[in-house]
Amino acid sequence: MRALHASLTFGGLLSAALLIAEPAASKNPAATNNVDITARGPFEYDLKTGRLHWSENVVVDDPGSFHLTCEDLVAERSVTNRRIEVIIATSNVVVTFVEGGVTSEARCGRAVYSAATDTFELTGDSPVVRRLEASSWADTIIFNRSTGKVQGKGNPRIQFNAGAFPKTNPLGPK
Amino acid sequence: MALNSALPSLSKESDRHPIGAASHTVLPRSSTSLPPGAPRNFSVRRRDHVGASVCVVLIAAGILTGQTPKNAPAVGRRISFYHKEGDRNVAHFTAAEAVPQGSSIYLTRNFHMETFREKDGSEELLIDAPECLFDVTTKRASSPGPIRVRHADGLFILEGVGFQWNQENSRLVVSNQVHTVIQKMSVIPHSP
């Protein structure tokens, strides 16, 4: 399979953003009201700080939305409104997103989900997001679940999968 | 004996539920043979006169002779214990049966505890375990067996195997096979 490999650099622009894909955000009929988290353990809950901490073989399953595996997961609650504000997954993080019928897989060393912005920020271990049409790398990859946008910051690189495009070349001679 | 004089004040099986402070008989420690260090508001309830009498006498005998009555029958013994900070209830511990294991440690069955919010006194965390050790002095509970945890505001429900609750720092540790169900309402993005 042929692959078109494009390395994109932005010189001194430290926070250059690369728009890789922008699928329409849509409601998934498979979505449920609950998120399942399993772990080998131990699990710790600090009632005073509202911090929840799962360890070893952690699997987070949000049916129809995303599936995450990692070795360590921390959820921090807001003191004021009691809701979970930040979720931090570390070590061998693999996230499979399902948005608008499009599946993406992300791998990184650390993934931070912010409820305030509905975004995943992926860092560490050369974070990569793979989709049908392309794979993308950057020092930091930000995936916005609301808009479906994926941004790469710092040394962004994208590799398009030629097999995902029509075989006819629209730019070729007629 | 002080224990015998305390027996008539024990409540009957028929009024064991609902669990609540008002329905419990709180025995002053001076009128019972509770272990040294046990809180004054530690209460004991009775299933029936015969069972409770045998149980209490056997346990008291163990305590008086300095022996730990590990295999003392626990029929009819029920504990209910409020942990307070000042006038505020911080936590409430109950168990259907409790067998003394040491000076302040009890092997409990059908253990249940709940913590209360500082702000409004409402329930916050509810823990159930079919069996666990409970220290009435340190307010620590632990078990190698199954545990079920529920957050009162619906944040999560958790099941696992093996746990330790430390009242001093309000920290729960579940050791193995942790399964948590979190309500999305607790996580979904904040509305602007």
Side-chain angles (χ1 to χ4, degrees), chain A residues 95 106 108 110-112 120-124 127-129 139-142:
Chain A
V95 195
C108 60
R110 176 184 167 92
V112 179
F120 280 88
E121 183 174 293
L122 316 177
T123 55
V128 56
V129 174
D139 293 344
T140 301
I141 296 177
I142 298 172

Side-chain angles (χ1 to χ4, degrees), chain B residues 160-172:
Chain B
V161 177
F163 80 96
Q164 183 177 58
W165 167 257
N166 188 338
Q167 182 63 47
E168 189 177 355
N169 58 15
S170 299
R171 185 168 292 190
L172 171 71

Side-chain angles (χ1 to χ4, degrees), chain A residues 6 32 36 56 72 86 91 104 112-113 115 133-135 150-151 174:
Chain A
T32 66
D36 258 34
E56 289 195 35
D72 199 87
V86 178
S91 188
S104 314
V112 179
Y113 172 74
E133 69 279 9
S135 298
V150 180
Q151 290 180 311
K174 294 182 180 176

Side-chain angles (χ1 to χ4, degrees), chain A residues 19-25 131 133 147-150:
Chain A
L19 179 63
I20 297 171
E22 194 174 346
R131 279 182 150 145
E133 69 279 9
T147 64
K149 285 183 179 177
V150 180

